[in-house]
Amino acid sequence: QSALIQPASVSGSLGQSITLSCTGTSRDIGDYEYVSWYQQYPGRAPKLIISEVYNRPPGVSTRFSGSKSGNTASLNIFGLRIEDEADYHCISYRVNVGLVFGAGTKLTVL
Amino acid sequence: EVHLLESGGGFVQSGGSQRLSCAASGFMFRNYAINWIRQAPGKGLEWVSGISGTGTETFYADSLRGRFTISRDNFEDTVFLQMHSLTSDDTAVYYCAKERESSSRGAFDSWGPGTLVTVSS
């Protein structure tokens, strides 16, 4: 069982805005600002889209944003496009453990 | 341009050992931590191990500590992952990834294409 909890699948319509969740504990998301999000297409390496909860690396679309409340981090995607259909993974630092991932969410764009 | 390339994957017998390499170019290699992350077929990502830029600090997932050893050669710009006592649970694509900055903890801004390790019984 993964250390962070992500829904297995989420779907949204073209142009819609959606939120993907990543739930941890006070030992990771709740107490640290070390949450990152990755986008992964089948057969490809993951791509960093959000780091340190809120930061968007250069070149990443402004349609992606990150946030956190309590033990849950969120990835917000505005104005869904076909190319957003992918797997999304969250990762956090956890004290005395290191880095922990969620199992990933498969996003389907309808 | 940053470039990472893993090698050393392939088929290995259960109980055997394998050594993976990650060759880097396009950045000041010694200034950045490198991590290994793996992905079993059809599964999510799993953090495996990390090593600081100088190589003096190493980190491991608890479940793998003792079987896996990470090291680096800052003259050859290469990171290694030595794996022992492999089981079918270790079958995965193994990625190496560069940390965005020294204190970024989990923010990997460059990844290699991965190398597949298949452990057969």
Side-chain angles (χ1 to χ4, degrees):
Chain A
Q1 187 174 6
S2 297
L4 304 179
I5 306 301
Q6 296 183 254
S9 62
V10 169
S11 62
S13 301
L14 277 172
Q16 184 185 359
S17 296
I18 63 162
T19 297
L20 306 184
S21 64
C22 174
T23 301
T25 70
S26 58
R27 294 173 296 151
D28 39 68
I29 294 175
D31 227 25
Y32 296 94
E33 301 289 288
Y34 296 118
V35 180
S36 295
W37 290 88
Y38 293 89
Q39 178 190 59
Q40 186 182 30
Y41 295 113
R44 303 293 297 274
K47 173 189 174 184
L48 180 67
I49 55 174
I50 295 289
S51 66
E52 287 94 23
V53 181
Y54 313 99
N55 297 328
R56 195 170 45 246
V60 174
S61 171
T62 55
R63 297 185 301 105
F64 294 94
S65 71
S67 62
K68 184 183 86 162
S69 177
N71 296 335
T72 298
S74 299
L75 174 68
N76 306 292
I77 309 177
F78 303 96
L80 275 177
R81 298 179 179 178
I82 288 293
E83 58 263 36
D84 297 332
E85 186 163 293
D87 293 329
Y88 292 84
H89 307 272
C90 62
I91 183 175
S92 175
Y93 171 76
R94 171 178 285 185
V95 65
N96 295 329
V97 170
L99 296 172
V100 290
F101 275 101
T105 296
K106 181 178 179 60
L107 173 61
T108 301
V109 179
L110 305 172
Chain B
E1 182 185 356
V2 174
H3 192 64
L4 299 171
L5 183 62
E6 305 90 344
S7 60
F11 288 91
V12 59
Q13 293 268 25
S14 182
S17 299
Q18 196 86 335
R19 188 198 200 203
L20 305 182
S21 300
C22 170
S25 62
F27 63 101
M28 193 65 72
F29 183 72
R30 73 176 74 91
N31 287 354
Y32 292 92
I34 302 291
N35 283 245
W36 287 95
I37 297 103
R38 70 182 183 181
Q39 186 169 34
K43 302 296 185 182
L45 300 171
E46 180 185 14
W47 175 71
V48 172
S49 180
I51 187 166
S52 63
T54 59
T56 55
E57 294 180 283
T58 58
F59 310 91
Y60 298 93
D62 282 346
S63 61
L64 302 174
R65 195 184 306 271
R67 290 197 302 123
F68 287 18
T69 302
I70 191 170
S71 60
R72 67 190 293 158
D73 182 338
N74 282 354
F75 292 102
E76 297 293 332
D77 290 3
T78 303
V79 171
F80 305 98
L81 184 69
Q82 179 68 55
M83 307 183 293
H84 296 293
S85 303
L86 291 167
T87 73
S88 57
D89 289 342
D90 297 312
T91 293
V93 173
Y94 286 73
Y95 297 102
C96 65
K98 166 188 165 291
E99 277 194 357
R100 191 175 62 80
E101 56 185 39
S102 61
S103 59
S104 55
R105 293 190 181 182
F108 306 121
D109 60 357
S110 295
W111 294 62
T115 188
L116 175 62
V117 174
T118 304
V119 183
S120 59
S121 53

